[in-house]
Amino acid sequence: MQKKKAANAALTVIMALLSALFLAPIFIVLMNSFKTKFNIISSPFSFPDSDTFAGIQNYINGINSSGIITAFFRSLFITVCSVAVLVICSAMAAWYIVRVKSRFTKLMYYLFVFSMIVPFQMVMYTMTYTVTSLKLNNLIGIIFVYLGFGAGLSVFMMSGFIKSVPLEIEEAAMIDGCSPLQTFFMVVFPILKPTAITVAILNAMWIWNDYLLPYLILGTSQKTMPVAIQLAMQGAYGAVDWGGFMAMLVIAIIPIVIFYLFCQRYIIEGVVAGAVKG
């Protein structure tokens, strides 16, 4: 019993240290967002005091910089639409792959899995040329580009969960007169809620924080939040407004943290348990 308590205490200490290690960069950014830019460079790890405290001036400078507000809502639009399309399309594809047993569905599954291991840098030049040729280098087109790059992991996760969904539930819905689409959206998709939210969180974090793909496709004319932050905080001759830079990083972090805190309780929810009785 004492050995078990000691092991639990040691595990608690290790997890606390790991949590502090992962949270330290965020805390440092938050702390420096309230300091003057000269003090950020000279003492980045010190707490702001009466001499170094800049109040909310860094946030004002960041918000007043060119295109930040527009970039924020542009990133929000791209993230929300891309995640919605990814979740719905990948769930439908995974359901079809799992329920329809054929060589075609098996090939499609392996293609989705293969897409997960292909590095983005390997295809980015070809992708940029193709996207430009198809006139997809706009806010609507980039949603379909994210669908292509995110479908591999999403379908893989959805397929694993759908295999655990009892087939009797779908058969009962079809006996009651539901079409395949009605069966999916009224029966299967609600059961997929825990996995769908997990997929949504992973893709939302990736899309919201993505810098390279929007930069290649949209350029600087339709800046997303990461691109806008990188460009807006640069001054003449490469000078950087570190105070405004830190403040904008905090603003960029807030939406994804709120989204995660709101959705995390659904991840471990077991909605399949008890779905089939006797």
Side-chain angles (χ1 to χ4, degrees), residues 2 6-7 13 20 33 54 61 63 85 99 110-111 113 126 131 147 171 186 195 202 218 222 243 247 252 260 267:
Q2 291 181 347
V13 172
S33 69
N61 294 340
I63 291 173
V85 171
R99 295 305 187 215
Y110 286 127
L111 285 176
V113 173
T126 307
V131 167
L147 173 62
E171 292 174 345
M186 298 176 65
T195 304
L202 293 175
L218 302 178
Q222 301 182 81
Y260 176 80
I267 299 176

Side-chain angles (χ1 to χ4, degrees), residues 61-84:
N61 294 340
I63 291 173
N64 290 336
S65 61
S66 177
I68 288 294
I69 299 297
T70 305
F72 180 90
F73 286 104
R74 188 178 291 121
S75 286
L76 187 64
F77 171 79
I78 293 173
T79 302
V80 171
C81 294
S82 299
V83 169

Side-chain angles (χ1 to χ4, degrees), residues 74-87 89 131 136-151 206-207 213-214 217-218:
R74 188 178 291 121
S75 286
L76 187 64
F77 171 79
I78 293 173
T79 302
V80 171
C81 294
S82 299
V83 169
V85 171
L86 260 169
V87 169
C89 292
V131 167
L136 294 176
N137 51 342
N138 51 63
L139 293 182
I140 303 299
I142 196 173
I143 294 172
F144 296 99
V145 178
Y146 275 123
L147 173 62
F149 279 105
W206 160 51
I207 296 170
L213 186 59
I217 294 178
L218 302 178

Side-chain angles (χ1 to χ4, degrees), residues 104-121:
F104 173 74
T105 56
K106 186 178 291 187
L107 175 64
M108 290 301 298
Y109 178 76
Y110 286 127
L111 285 176
F112 279 120
V113 173
F114 176 74
S115 69
M116 295 167 53
I117 63 175
V118 177
F120 172 74
Q121 291 79 5

Side-chain angles (χ1 to χ4, degrees), residues 184-215:
F184 174 77
F185 283 107
M186 298 176 65
V187 178
V188 178
F189 194 68
I191 293 175
L192 291 176
K193 185 172 68 172
T195 304
I197 292 178
T198 302
V199 169
I201 290 174
L202 293 175
N203 285 298
M205 292 173 63
W206 160 51
I207 296 170
W208 177 265
N209 294 320
D210 190 21
Y211 172 85
L212 187 55
L213 186 59
Y215 185 79

Side-chain angles (χ1 to χ4, degrees), residues 6 12 21 26 52 79 84 90 99-100 135 144 149 159 165-166 184 198 233 248 252:
T12 302
L21 182 65
I26 299 176
T52 63
T79 302
S90 61
R99 295 305 187 215
V100 179
K135 307 297 183 184
F144 296 99
F149 279 105
S159 297
V165 176
F184 174 77
T198 302
M233 294 300 108
M248 290 301 95

